Amino acid sequence: MSHSHSHGHGPTADVSVRPGLPEDARAWAAIQVAAWRSSYERLWPEHALASLDVAAIEESWRSALSDPPTAKHRLFTACAGPAVVGFAALAPVPDEEGTGEIVALEVSPARRSDGHGSRLLAACADVLRQTNASAMRTWVVTGDDGRAKFLDSAGLAPTGLVRTIDVLGTEVTEEAWRATLA
């Protein structure tokens, strides 16, 4: 998936989504921390956001890429030219045969309106279709209206399933969103 666009001002940087590479892990971690701090500044306690550790998150992503739990776990990188501007992580849902879960989809806050999230979501859906999955789901932090609006515009909808998870010592409520894959 590679696209070049021209809007009468000369060509712009090439944008693409590709499989994740080990050297992407540092950028993914930095993007995740920036995105969470931007999206959750009013939803999570300040100490939780301040304690996000780029190096620890980088190691976690590097490990996920080098030793995925299953062959269906995938990582994707969104690029603007050579710059990594976003990423997505995809995993099977153990208790729902035929459903893939987007466990992460983050875009650099400065690049959120550039279409990278939509390209990452499309890459996840394409891979799920290729593996004969019939649905995809993801989780949205309660109150993350920006993500809810993005997912709604992409055809996902809340399922009513809610969970509470521990994020750095803070209980966070999330709601499942789902789409059927045609």
Side-chain angles (χ1 to χ4, degrees), residues 28 31-36 39-40 61 78 85-89 103-109 112 116-117 120 144 147:
W28 294 338
I31 289 166
Q32 183 173 356
V33 168
W36 283 14
S39 295
Y40 305 145
W61 284 123
V85 296
F87 72 99
V103 294
L105 194 159
E106 302 296 346
V107 174
S108 173
R112 282 193 178 146
H116 300 293
L120 286 163
D144 186 351
R147 186 168 303 256

mmCIF file with all atom_site columns, all heavy atoms in Angstrom, residues 28 31-36 39-40 61 78 85-89 103-109 112 116-117 120 144 147:
data_model
loop_
_atom_site.group_PDB
_atom_site.id
_atom_site.type_symbol
_atom_site.label_atom_id
_atom_site.label_alt_id
_atom_site.label_comp_id
_atom_site.label_asym_id
_atom_site.label_entity_id
_atom_site.label_seq_id
_atom_site.pdbx_PDB_ins_code
_atom_site.Cartn_x
_atom_site.Cartn_y
_atom_site.Cartn_z
_atom_site.occupancy
_atom_site.B_iso_or_equiv
_atom_site.pdbx_formal_charge
_atom_site.auth_seq_id
_atom_site.auth_comp_id
_atom_site.auth_asym_id
_atom_site.auth_atom_id
_atom_site.pdbx_PDB_model_num
ATOM 1   N N   . TRP A 1 28  ? 7.968   3.368  17.515 1.00 0.00 ? 28  TRP A N   1
ATOM 2   C CA  . TRP A 1 28  ? 6.655   2.945  18.014 1.00 0.00 ? 28  TRP A CA  1
ATOM 3   C C   . TRP A 1 28  ? 6.479   3.379  19.468 1.00 0.00 ? 28  TRP A C   1
ATOM 4   O O   . TRP A 1 28  ? 5.433   3.895  19.844 1.00 0.00 ? 28  TRP A O   1
ATOM 5   C CB  . TRP A 1 28  ? 6.476   1.441  17.938 1.00 0.00 ? 28  TRP A CB  1
ATOM 6   C CG  . TRP A 1 28  ? 6.439   0.839  16.582 1.00 0.00 ? 28  TRP A CG  1
ATOM 7   C CD1 . TRP A 1 28  ? 6.143   1.446  15.397 1.00 0.00 ? 28  TRP A CD1 1
ATOM 8   C CD2 . TRP A 1 28  ? 6.710   -0.522 16.264 1.00 0.00 ? 28  TRP A CD2 1
ATOM 9   N NE1 . TRP A 1 28  ? 6.216   0.534  14.373 1.00 0.00 ? 28  TRP A NE1 1
ATOM 10  C CE2 . TRP A 1 28  ? 6.558   -0.673 14.869 1.00 0.00 ? 28  TRP A CE2 1
ATOM 11  C CE3 . TRP A 1 28  ? 7.073   -1.629 17.021 1.00 0.00 ? 28  TRP A CE3 1
ATOM 12  C CZ2 . TRP A 1 28  ? 6.747   -1.887 14.225 1.00 0.00 ? 28  TRP A CZ2 1
ATOM 13  C CZ3 . TRP A 1 28  ? 7.265   -2.845 16.382 1.00 0.00 ? 28  TRP A CZ3 1
ATOM 14  C CH2 . TRP A 1 28  ? 7.103   -2.970 14.998 1.00 0.00 ? 28  TRP A CH2 1
ATOM 15  N N   . ILE A 1 31  ? 6.027   7.119  19.755 1.00 0.00 ? 31  ILE A N   1
ATOM 16  C CA  . ILE A 1 31  ? 4.697   7.485  19.251 1.00 0.00 ? 31  ILE A CA  1
ATOM 17  C C   . ILE A 1 31  ? 3.629   7.085  20.264 1.00 0.00 ? 31  ILE A C   1
ATOM 18  O O   . ILE A 1 31  ? 2.715   7.861  20.547 1.00 0.00 ? 31  ILE A O   1
ATOM 19  C CB  . ILE A 1 31  ? 4.440   6.830  17.874 1.00 0.00 ? 31  ILE A CB  1
ATOM 20  C CG1 . ILE A 1 31  ? 5.313   7.511  16.813 1.00 0.00 ? 31  ILE A CG1 1
ATOM 21  C CG2 . ILE A 1 31  ? 2.954   6.879  17.508 1.00 0.00 ? 31  ILE A CG2 1
ATOM 22  C CD1 . ILE A 1 31  ? 5.404   6.738  15.501 1.00 0.00 ? 31  ILE A CD1 1
ATOM 23  N N   . GLN A 1 32  ? 3.742   5.883  20.838 1.00 0.00 ? 32  GLN A N   1
ATOM 24  C CA  . GLN A 1 32  ? 2.752   5.426  21.812 1.00 0.00 ? 32  GLN A CA  1
ATOM 25  C C   . GLN A 1 32  ? 2.709   6.359  23.015 1.00 0.00 ? 32  GLN A C   1
ATOM 26  O O   . GLN A 1 32  ? 1.625   6.767  23.456 1.00 0.00 ? 32  GLN A O   1
ATOM 27  C CB  . GLN A 1 32  ? 3.059   3.999  22.262 1.00 0.00 ? 32  GLN A CB  1
ATOM 28  C CG  . GLN A 1 32  ? 2.023   3.450  23.217 1.00 0.00 ? 32  GLN A CG  1
ATOM 29  C CD  . GLN A 1 32  ? 2.229   1.983  23.525 1.00 0.00 ? 32  GLN A CD  1
ATOM 30  O OE1 . GLN A 1 32  ? 3.101   1.326  22.975 1.00 0.00 ? 32  GLN A OE1 1
ATOM 31  N NE2 . GLN A 1 32  ? 1.410   1.456  24.408 1.00 0.00 ? 32  GLN A NE2 1
ATOM 32  N N   . VAL A 1 33  ? 3.862   6.718  23.553 1.00 0.00 ? 33  VAL A N   1
ATOM 33  C CA  . VAL A 1 33  ? 3.898   7.612  24.714 1.00 0.00 ? 33  VAL A CA  1
ATOM 34  C C   . VAL A 1 33  ? 3.300   8.974  24.362 1.00 0.00 ? 33  VAL A C   1
ATOM 35  O O   . VAL A 1 33  ? 2.452   9.503  25.096 1.00 0.00 ? 33  VAL A O   1
ATOM 36  C CB  . VAL A 1 33  ? 5.336   7.746  25.264 1.00 0.00 ? 33  VAL A CB  1
ATOM 37  C CG1 . VAL A 1 33  ? 5.448   8.881  26.272 1.00 0.00 ? 33  VAL A CG1 1
ATOM 38  C CG2 . VAL A 1 33  ? 5.775   6.425  25.902 1.00 0.00 ? 33  VAL A CG2 1
ATOM 39  N N   . ALA A 1 34  ? 3.688   9.541  23.224 1.00 0.00 ? 34  ALA A N   1
ATOM 40  C CA  . ALA A 1 34  ? 3.150   10.850 22.816 1.00 0.00 ? 34  ALA A CA  1
ATOM 41  C C   . ALA A 1 34  ? 1.643   10.773 22.585 1.00 0.00 ? 34  ALA A C   1
ATOM 42  O O   . ALA A 1 34  ? 0.890   11.665 22.999 1.00 0.00 ? 34  ALA A O   1
ATOM 43  C CB  . ALA A 1 34  ? 3.860   11.342 21.557 1.00 0.00 ? 34  ALA A CB  1
ATOM 44  N N   . ALA A 1 35  ? 1.189   9.706  21.937 1.00 0.00 ? 35  ALA A N   1
ATOM 45  C CA  . ALA A 1 35  ? -0.236  9.555  21.640 1.00 0.00 ? 35  ALA A CA  1
ATOM 46  C C   . ALA A 1 35  ? -1.046  9.388  22.920 1.00 0.00 ? 35  ALA A C   1
ATOM 47  O O   . ALA A 1 35  ? -2.111  9.993  23.076 1.00 0.00 ? 35  ALA A O   1
ATOM 48  C CB  . ALA A 1 35  ? -0.451  8.369  20.701 1.00 0.00 ? 35  ALA A CB  1
ATOM 49  N N   . TRP A 1 36  ? -0.563  8.550  23.846 1.00 0.00 ? 36  TRP A N   1
ATOM 50  C CA  . TRP A 1 36  ? -1.287  8.344  25.095 1.00 0.00 ? 36  TRP A CA  1
ATOM 51  C C   . TRP A 1 36  ? -1.330  9.632  25.912 1.00 0.00 ? 36  TRP A C   1
ATOM 52  O O   . TRP A 1 36  ? -2.358  9.975  26.476 1.00 0.00 ? 36  TRP A O   1
ATOM 53  C CB  . TRP A 1 36  ? -0.653  7.222  25.895 1.00 0.00 ? 36  TRP A CB  1
ATOM 54  C CG  . TRP A 1 36  ? -0.993  5.847  25.388 1.00 0.00 ? 36  TRP A CG  1
ATOM 55  C CD1 . TRP A 1 36  ? -1.559  5.515  24.185 1.00 0.00 ? 36  TRP A CD1 1
ATOM 56  C CD2 . TRP A 1 36  ? -0.766  4.627  26.062 1.00 0.00 ? 36  TRP A CD2 1
ATOM 57  N NE1 . TRP A 1 36  ? -1.691  4.157  24.087 1.00 0.00 ? 36  TRP A NE1 1
ATOM 58  C CE2 . TRP A 1 36  ? -1.206  3.577  25.229 1.00 0.00 ? 36  TRP A CE2 1
ATOM 59  C CE3 . TRP A 1 36  ? -0.212  4.297  27.292 1.00 0.00 ? 36  TRP A CE3 1
ATOM 60  C CZ2 . TRP A 1 36  ? -1.138  2.252  25.588 1.00 0.00 ? 36  TRP A CZ2 1
ATOM 61  C CZ3 . TRP A 1 36  ? -0.133  2.961  27.661 1.00 0.00 ? 36  TRP A CZ3 1
ATOM 62  C CH2 . TRP A 1 36  ? -0.599  1.956  26.816 1.00 0.00 ? 36  TRP A CH2 1
ATOM 63  N N   . SER A 1 39  ? -3.915  11.844 24.109 1.00 0.00 ? 39  SER A N   1
ATOM 64  C CA  . SER A 1 39  ? -5.303  11.361 24.134 1.00 0.00 ? 39  SER A CA  1
ATOM 65  C C   . SER A 1 39  ? -5.878  11.226 25.540 1.00 0.00 ? 39  SER A C   1
ATOM 66  O O   . SER A 1 39  ? -7.075  11.373 25.729 1.00 0.00 ? 39  SER A O   1
ATOM 67  C CB  . SER A 1 39  ? -5.401  10.002 23.447 1.00 0.00 ? 39  SER A CB  1
ATOM 68  O OG  . SER A 1 39  ? -5.101  10.117 22.085 1.00 0.00 ? 39  SER A OG  1
ATOM 69  N N   . TYR A 1 40  ? -5.020  10.897 26.507 1.00 0.00 ? 40  TYR A N   1
ATOM 70  C CA  . TYR A 1 40  ? -5.519  10.533 27.830 1.00 0.00 ? 40  TYR A CA  1
ATOM 71  C C   . TYR A 1 40  ? -5.208  11.565 28.907 1.00 0.00 ? 40  TYR A C   1
ATOM 72  O O   . TYR A 1 40  ? -5.389  11.292 30.083 1.00 0.00 ? 40  TYR A O   1
ATOM 73  C CB  . TYR A 1 40  ? -4.963  9.170  28.244 1.00 0.00 ? 40  TYR A CB  1
ATOM 74  C CG  . TYR A 1 40  ? -5.242  8.073  27.250 1.00 0.00 ? 40  TYR A CG  1
ATOM 75  C CD1 . TYR A 1 40  ? -4.325  7.058  27.027 1.00 0.00 ? 40  TYR A CD1 1
ATOM 76  C CD2 . TYR A 1 40  ? -6.430  8.036  26.512 1.00 0.00 ? 40  TYR A CD2 1
ATOM 77  C CE1 . TYR A 1 40  ? -4.577  6.048  26.110 1.00 0.00 ? 40  TYR A CE1 1
ATOM 78  C CE2 . TYR A 1 40  ? -6.682  7.038  25.589 1.00 0.00 ? 40  TYR A CE2 1
ATOM 79  C CZ  . TYR A 1 40  ? -5.757  6.046  25.399 1.00 0.00 ? 40  TYR A CZ  1
ATOM 80  O OH  . TYR A 1 40  ? -6.005  5.045  24.490 1.00 0.00 ? 40  TYR A OH  1
ATOM 81  N N   . TRP A 1 61  ? 7.860   -3.834 22.585 1.00 0.00 ? 61  TRP A N   1
ATOM 82  C CA  . TRP A 1 61  ? 7.517   -3.963 21.161 1.00 0.00 ? 61  TRP A CA  1
ATOM 83  C C   . TRP A 1 61  ? 8.575   -4.778 20.421 1.00 0.00 ? 61  TRP A C   1
ATOM 84  O O   . TRP A 1 61  ? 8.243   -5.596 19.561 1.00 0.00 ? 61  TRP A O   1
ATOM 85  C CB  . TRP A 1 61  ? 7.334   -2.594 20.504 1.00 0.00 ? 61  TRP A CB  1
ATOM 86  C CG  . TRP A 1 61  ? 6.036   -1.947 20.868 1.00 0.00 ? 61  TRP A CG  1
ATOM 87  C CD1 . TRP A 1 61  ? 5.858   -0.735 21.456 1.00 0.00 ? 61  TRP A CD1 1
ATOM 88  C CD2 . TRP A 1 61  ? 4.721   -2.490 20.682 1.00 0.00 ? 61  TRP A CD2 1
ATOM 89  N NE1 . TRP A 1 61  ? 4.520   -0.496 21.650 1.00 0.00 ? 61  TRP A NE1 1
ATOM 90  C CE2 . TRP A 1 61  ? 3.804   -1.553 21.177 1.00 0.00 ? 61  TRP A CE2 1
ATOM 91  C CE3 . TRP A 1 61  ? 4.237   -3.679 20.137 1.00 0.00 ? 61  TRP A CE3 1
ATOM 92  C CZ2 . TRP A 1 61  ? 2.421   -1.762 21.151 1.00 0.00 ? 61  TRP A CZ2 1
ATOM 93  C CZ3 . TRP A 1 61  ? 2.869   -3.896 20.105 1.00 0.00 ? 61  TRP A CZ3 1
ATOM 94  C CH2 . TRP A 1 61  ? 1.985   -2.951 20.609 1.00 0.00 ? 61  TRP A CH2 1
ATOM 95  N N   . ALA A 1 78  ? 3.339   2.682  9.832  1.00 0.00 ? 78  ALA A N   1
ATOM 96  C CA  . ALA A 1 78  ? 2.906   3.719  8.892  1.00 0.00 ? 78  ALA A CA  1
ATOM 97  C C   . ALA A 1 78  ? 4.073   4.678  8.701  1.00 0.00 ? 78  ALA A C   1
ATOM 98  O O   . ALA A 1 78  ? 4.712   5.088  9.673  1.00 0.00 ? 78  ALA A O   1
ATOM 99  C CB  . ALA A 1 78  ? 1.697   4.473  9.436  1.00 0.00 ? 78  ALA A CB  1
ATOM 100 N N   . VAL A 1 85  ? 5.537   7.203  11.403 1.00 0.00 ? 85  VAL A N   1
ATOM 101 C CA  . VAL A 1 85  ? 4.554   8.127  11.980 1.00 0.00 ? 85  VAL A CA  1
ATOM 102 C C   . VAL A 1 85  ? 3.415   7.414  12.706 1.00 0.00 ? 85  VAL A C   1
ATOM 103 O O   . VAL A 1 85  ? 2.554   8.073  13.296 1.00 0.00 ? 85  VAL A O   1
ATOM 104 C CB  . VAL A 1 85  ? 3.997   9.084  10.916 1.00 0.00 ? 85  VAL A CB  1
ATOM 105 C CG1 . VAL A 1 85  ? 5.091   9.993  10.366 1.00 0.00 ? 85  VAL A CG1 1
ATOM 106 C CG2 . VAL A 1 85  ? 3.318   8.322  9.789  1.00 0.00 ? 85  VAL A CG2 1
ATOM 107 N N   . GLY A 1 86  ? 3.399   6.087  12.669 1.00 0.00 ? 86  GLY A N   1
ATOM 108 C CA  . GLY A 1 86  ? 2.351   5.344  13.348 1.00 0.00 ? 86  GLY A CA  1
ATOM 109 C C   . GLY A 1 86  ? 2.600   3.857  13.286 1.00 0.00 ? 86  GLY A C   1
ATOM 110 O O   . GLY A 1 86  ? 3.516   3.397  12.590 1.00 0.00 ? 86  GLY A O   1
ATOM 111 N N   . PHE A 1 87  ? 1.796   3.117  14.028 1.00 0.00 ? 87  PHE A N   1
ATOM 112 C CA  . PHE A 1 87  ? 1.929   1.656  14.016 1.00 0.00 ? 87  PHE A CA  1
ATOM 113 C C   . PHE A 1 87  ? 0.624   1.027  14.475 1.00 0.00 ? 87  PHE A C   1
ATOM 114 O O   . PHE A 1 87  ? -0.227  1.677  15.088 1.00 0.00 ? 87  PHE A O   1
ATOM 115 C CB  . PHE A 1 87  ? 3.090   1.201  14.907 1.00 0.00 ? 87  PHE A CB  1
ATOM 116 C CG  . PHE A 1 87  ? 2.837   1.345  16.381 1.00 0.00 ? 87  PHE A CG  1
ATOM 117 C CD1 . PHE A 1 87  ? 2.440   0.252  17.139 1.00 0.00 ? 87  PHE A CD1 1
ATOM 118 C CD2 . PHE A 1 87  ? 2.970   2.569  17.006 1.00 0.00 ? 87  PHE A CD2 1
ATOM 119 C CE1 . PHE A 1 87  ? 2.185   0.387  18.497 1.00 0.00 ? 87  PHE A CE1 1
ATOM 120 C CE2 . PHE A 1 87  ? 2.719   2.712  18.366 1.00 0.00 ? 87  PHE A CE2 1
ATOM 121 C CZ  . PHE A 1 87  ? 2.328   1.611  19.115 1.00 0.00 ? 87  PHE A CZ  1
ATOM 122 N N   . ALA A 1 88  ? 0.489   -0.251 14.161 1.00 0.00 ? 88  ALA A N   1
ATOM 123 C CA  . ALA A 1 88  ? -0.655  -1.035 14.625 1.00 0.00 ? 88  ALA A CA  1
ATOM 124 C C   . ALA A 1 88  ? -0.172  -2.436 14.956 1.00 0.00 ? 88  ALA A C   1
ATOM 125 O O   . ALA A 1 88  ? 0.763   -2.949 14.337 1.00 0.00 ? 88  ALA A O   1
ATOM 126 C CB  . ALA A 1 88  ? -1.749  -1.097 13.560 1.00 0.00 ? 88  ALA A CB  1
ATOM 127 N N   . ALA A 1 89  ? -0.813  -3.036 15.948 1.00 0.00 ? 89  ALA A N   1
ATOM 128 C CA  . ALA A 1 89  ? -0.523  -4.413 16.346 1.00 0.00 ? 89  ALA A CA  1
ATOM 129 C C   . ALA A 1 89  ? -1.825  -5.202 16.276 1.00 0.00 ? 89  ALA A C   1
ATOM 130 O O   . ALA A 1 89  ? -2.872  -4.731 16.725 1.00 0.00 ? 89  ALA A O   1
ATOM 131 C CB  . ALA A 1 89  ? 0.053   -4.453 17.758 1.00 0.00 ? 89  ALA A CB  1
ATOM 132 N N   . VAL A 1 103 ? -4.753  -4.600 18.888 1.00 0.00 ? 103 VAL A N   1
ATOM 133 C CA  . VAL A 1 103 ? -4.358  -4.358 20.272 1.00 0.00 ? 103 VAL A CA  1
ATOM 134 C C   . VAL A 1 103 ? -3.666  -3.010 20.434 1.00 0.00 ? 103 VAL A C   1
ATOM 135 O O   . VAL A 1 103 ? -3.533  -2.515 21.551 1.00 0.00 ? 103 VAL A O   1
ATOM 136 C CB  . VAL A 1 103 ? -3.488  -5.504 20.830 1.00 0.00 ? 103 VAL A CB  1
ATOM 137 C CG1 . VAL A 1 103 ? -4.301  -6.793 20.916 1.00 0.00 ? 103 VAL A CG1 1
ATOM 138 C CG2 . VAL A 1 103 ? -2.239  -5.712 20.003 1.00 0.00 ? 103 VAL A CG2 1
ATOM 139 N N   . ALA A 1 104 ? -3.229  -2.430 19.333 1.00 0.00 ? 104 ALA A N   1
ATOM 140 C CA  . ALA A 1 104 ? -2.653  -1.077 19.358 1.00 0.00 ? 104 ALA A CA  1
ATOM 141 C C   . ALA A 1 104 ? -2.830  -0.468 17.980 1.00 0.00 ? 104 ALA A C   1
ATOM 142 O O   . ALA A 1 104 ? -2.685  -1.156 16.969 1.00 0.00 ? 104 ALA A O   1
ATOM 143 C CB  . ALA A 1 104 ? -1.173  -1.118 19.725 1.00 0.00 ? 104 ALA A CB  1
ATOM 144 N N   . LEU A 1 105 ? -3.149  0.803  17.952 1.00 0.00 ? 105 LEU A N   1
ATOM 145 C CA  . LEU A 1 105 ? -3.178  1.572  16.714 1.00 0.00 ? 105 LEU A CA  1
ATOM 146 C C   . LEU A 1 105 ? -2.925  3.016  17.146 1.00 0.00 ? 105 LEU A C   1
ATOM 147 O O   . LEU A 1 105 ? -3.799  3.644  17.723 1.00 0.00 ? 105 LEU A O   1
ATOM 148 C CB  . LEU A 1 105 ? -4.508  1.438  15.981 1.00 0.00 ? 105 LEU A CB  1
ATOM 149 C CG  . LEU A 1 105 ? -4.505  1.939  14.524 1.00 0.00 ? 105 LEU A CG  1
ATOM 150 C CD1 . LEU A 1 105 ? -5.646  1.327  13.737 1.00 0.00 ? 105 LEU A CD1 1
ATOM 151 C CD2 . LEU A 1 105 ? -4.503  3.429  14.390 1.00 0.00 ? 105 LEU A CD2 1
ATOM 152 N N   . GLU A 1 106 ? -1.707  3.469  16.918 1.00 0.00 ? 106 GLU A N   1
ATOM 153 C CA  . GLU A 1 106 ? -1.319  4.803  17.366 1.00 0.00 ? 106 GLU A CA  1
ATOM 154 C C   . GLU A 1 106 ? -0.643  5.554  16.233 1.00 0.00 ? 106 GLU A C   1
ATOM 155 O O   . GLU A 1 106 ? 0.132   4.973  15.473 1.00 0.00 ? 106 GLU A O   1
ATOM 156 C CB  . GLU A 1 106 ? -0.362  4.729  18.562 1.00 0.00 ? 106 GLU A CB  1
ATOM 157 C CG  . GLU A 1 106 ? -0.910  3.982  19.768 1.00 0.00 ? 106 GLU A CG  1
ATOM 158 C CD  . GLU A 1 106 ? -2.123  4.623  20.419 1.00 0.00 ? 106 GLU A CD  1
ATOM 159 O OE1 . GLU A 1 106 ? -2.433  5.801  20.125 1.00 0.00 ? 106 GLU A OE1 1
ATOM 160 O OE2 . GLU A 1 106 ? -2.780  3.947  21.231 1.00 0.00 ? 106 GLU A OE2 1
ATOM 161 N N   . VAL A 1 107 ? -0.948  6.833  16.140 1.00 0.00 ? 107 VAL A N   1
ATOM 162 C CA  . VAL A 1 107 ? -0.336  7.719  15.157 1.00 0.00 ? 107 VAL A CA  1
ATOM 163 C C   . VAL A 1 107 ? 0.216   8.917  15.920 1.00 0.00 ? 107 VAL A C   1
ATOM 164 O O   . VAL A 1 107 ? -0.405  9.393  16.879 1.00 0.00 ? 107 VAL A O   1
ATOM 165 C CB  . VAL A 1 107 ? -1.368  8.174  14.095 1.00 0.00 ? 107 VAL A CB  1
ATOM 166 C CG1 . VAL A 1 107 ? -0.778  9.211  13.153 1.00 0.00 ? 107 VAL A CG1 1
ATOM 167 C CG2 . VAL A 1 107 ? -1.875  6.966  13.304 1.00 0.00 ? 107 VAL A CG2 1
ATOM 168 N N   . SER A 1 108 ? 1.373   9.370  15.503 1.00 0.00 ? 108 SER A N   1
ATOM 169 C CA  . SER A 1 108 ? 1.971   10.556 16.115 1.00 0.00 ? 108 SER A CA  1
ATOM 170 C C   . SER A 1 108 ? 0.924   11.664 16.180 1.00 0.00 ? 108 SER A C   1
ATOM 171 O O   . SER A 1 108 ? 0.268   11.941 15.173 1.00 0.00 ? 108 SER A O   1
ATOM 172 C CB  . SER A 1 108 ? 3.171   11.006 15.291 1.00 0.00 ? 108 SER A CB  1
ATOM 173 O OG  . SER A 1 108 ? 3.664   12.231 15.771 1.00 0.00 ? 108 SER A OG  1
ATOM 174 N N   . PRO A 1 109 ? 0.729   12.303 17.344 1.00 0.00 ? 109 PRO A N   1
ATOM 175 C CA  . PRO A 1 109 ? -0.307  13.336 17.444 1.00 0.00 ? 109 PRO A CA  1
ATOM 176 C C   . PRO A 1 109 ? -0.212  14.416 16.360 1.00 0.00 ? 109 PRO A C   1
ATOM 177 O O   . PRO A 1 109 ? -1.242  14.886 15.877 1.00 0.00 ? 109 PRO A O   1
ATOM 178 C CB  . PRO A 1 109 ? -0.078  13.929 18.837 1.00 0.00 ? 109 PRO A CB  1
ATOM 179 C CG  . PRO A 1 109 ? 0.485   12.789 19.621 1.00 0.00 ? 109 PRO A CG  1
ATOM 180 C CD  . PRO A 1 109 ? 1.376   12.053 18.633 1.00 0.00 ? 109 PRO A CD  1
ATOM 181 N N   . ARG A 1 112 ? -2.014  13.014 13.005 1.00 0.00 ? 112 ARG A N   1
ATOM 182 C CA  . ARG A 1 112 ? -3.301  12.322 13.123 1.00 0.00 ? 112 ARG A CA  1
ATOM 183 C C   . ARG A 1 112 ? -4.272  12.621 11.999 1.00 0.00 ? 112 ARG A C   1
ATOM 184 O O   . ARG A 1 112 ? -5.115  11.798 11.687 1.00 0.00 ? 112 ARG A O   1
ATOM 185 C CB  . ARG A 1 112 ? -3.945  12.620 14.475 1.00 0.00 ? 112 ARG A CB  1
ATOM 186 C CG  . ARG A 1 112 ? -3.313  11.816 15.577 1.00 0.00 ? 112 ARG A CG  1
ATOM 187 C CD  . ARG A 1 112 ? -4.127  11.858 16.833 1.00 0.00 ? 112 ARG A CD  1
ATOM 188 N NE  . ARG A 1 112 ? -3.493  11.028 17.856 1.00 0.00 ? 112 ARG A NE  1
ATOM 189 C CZ  . ARG A 1 112 ? -3.512  11.313 19.126 1.00 0.00 ? 112 ARG A CZ  1
ATOM 190 N NH1 . ARG A 1 112 ? -4.132  12.384 19.562 1.00 0.00 ? 112 ARG A NH1 1
ATOM 191 N NH2 . ARG A 1 112 ? -2.920  10.510 19.982 1.00 0.00 ? 112 ARG A NH2 1
ATOM 192 N N   . HIS A 1 116 ? -3.031  8.320  8.207  1.00 0.00 ? 116 HIS A N   1
ATOM 193 C CA  . HIS A 1 116 ? -2.227  7.155  8.594  1.00 0.00 ? 116 HIS A CA  1
ATOM 194 C C   . HIS A 1 116 ? -3.041  6.148  9.409  1.00 0.00 ? 116 HIS A C   1
ATOM 195 O O   . HIS A 1 116 ? -2.902  4.939  9.217  1.00 0.00 ? 116 HIS A O   1
ATOM 196 C CB  . HIS A 1 116 ? -0.986  7.592  9.364  1.00 0.00 ? 116 HIS A CB  1
ATOM 197 C CG  . HIS A 1 116 ? -0.097  8.489  8.572  1.00 0.00 ? 116 HIS A CG  1
ATOM 198 N ND1 . HIS A 1 116 ? 0.599   8.060  7.462  1.00 0.00 ? 116 HIS A ND1 1
ATOM 199 C CD2 . HIS A 1 116 ? 0.195   9.810  8.711  1.00 0.00 ? 116 HIS A CD2 1
ATOM 200 C CE1 . HIS A 1 116 ? 1.281   9.078  6.959  1.00 0.00 ? 116 HIS A CE1 1
ATOM 201 N NE2 . HIS A 1 116 ? 1.049   10.146 7.692  1.00 0.00 ? 116 HIS A NE2 1
ATOM 202 N N   . GLY A 1 117 ? -3.909  6.625  10.297 1.00 0.00 ? 117 GLY A N   1
ATOM 203 C CA  . GLY A 1 117 ? -4.745  5.715  11.076 1.00 0.00 ? 117 GLY A CA  1
ATOM 204 C C   . GLY A 1 117 ? -5.654  4.891  10.184 1.00 0.00 ? 117 GLY A C   1
ATOM 205 O O   . GLY A 1 117 ? -5.807  3.681  10.377 1.00 0.00 ? 117 GLY A O   1
ATOM 206 N N   . LEU A 1 120 ? -3.547  2.242  8.460  1.00 0.00 ? 120 LEU A N   1
ATOM 207 C CA  . LEU A 1 120 ? -3.213  1.154  9.388  1.00 0.00 ? 120 LEU A CA  1
ATOM 208 C C   . LEU A 1 120 ? -4.423  0.260  9.631  1.00 0.00 ? 120 LEU A C   1
ATOM 209 O O   . LEU A 1 120 ? -4.305  -0.974 9.618  1.00 0.00 ? 120 LEU A O   1
ATOM 210 C CB  . LEU A 1 120 ? -2.701  1.728  10.713 1.00 0.00 ? 120 LEU A CB  1
ATOM 211 C CG  . LEU A 1 120 ? -1.294  2.304  10.672 1.00 0.00 ? 120 LEU A CG  1
ATOM 212 C CD1 . LEU A 1 120 ? -1.045  3.194  11.890 1.00 0.00 ? 120 LEU A CD1 1
ATOM 213 C CD2 . LEU A 1 120 ? -0.246  1.194  10.581 1.00 0.00 ? 120 LEU A CD2 1
ATOM 214 N N   . ASP A 1 144 ? -12.468 8.482  25.398 1.00 0.00 ? 144 ASP A N   1
ATOM 215 C CA  . ASP A 1 144 ? -11.583 8.821  24.270 1.00 0.00 ? 144 ASP A CA  1
ATOM 216 C C   . ASP A 1 144 ? -12.463 9.085  23.044 1.00 0.00 ? 144 ASP A C   1
ATOM 217 O O   . ASP A 1 144 ? -12.609 8.245  22.155 1.00 0.00 ? 144 ASP A O   1
ATOM 218 C CB  . ASP A 1 144 ? -10.583 7.702  24.008 1.00 0.00 ? 144 ASP A CB  1
ATOM 219 C CG  . ASP A 1 144 ? -9.539  8.054  22.945 1.00 0.00 ? 144 ASP A CG  1
ATOM 220 O OD1 . ASP A 1 144 ? -9.694  9.103  22.278 1.00 0.00 ? 144 ASP A OD1 1
ATOM 221 O OD2 . ASP A 1 144 ? -8.585  7.279  22.788 1.00 0.00 ? 144 ASP A OD2 1
ATOM 222 N N   . ARG A 1 147 ? -10.911 8.759  19.382 1.00 0.00 ? 147 ARG A N   1
ATOM 223 C CA  . ARG A 1 147 ? -10.801 7.403  18.855 1.00 0.00 ? 147 ARG A CA  1
ATOM 224 C C   . ARG A 1 147 ? -12.175 6.845  18.522 1.00 0.00 ? 147 ARG A C   1
ATOM 225 O O   . ARG A 1 147 ? -12.349 6.191  17.492 1.00 0.00 ? 147 ARG A O   1
ATOM 226 C CB  . ARG A 1 147 ? -10.070 6.483  19.834 1.00 0.00 ? 147 ARG A CB  1
ATOM 227 C CG  . ARG A 1 147 ? -9.828  5.101  19.240 1.00 0.00 ? 147 ARG A CG  1
ATOM 228 C CD  . ARG A 1 147 ? -8.871  4.278  20.060 1.00 0.00 ? 147 ARG A CD  1
ATOM 229 N NE  . ARG A 1 147 ? -7.600  4.922  20.247 1.00 0.00 ? 147 ARG A NE  1
ATOM 230 C CZ  . ARG A 1 147 ? -6.477  4.591  19.604 1.00 0.00 ? 147 ARG A CZ  1
ATOM 231 N NH1 . ARG A 1 147 ? -6.470  3.613  18.734 1.00 0.00 ? 147 ARG A NH1 1
ATOM 232 N NH2 . ARG A 1 147 ? -5.353  5.235  19.847 1.00 0.00 ? 147 ARG A NH2 1
#
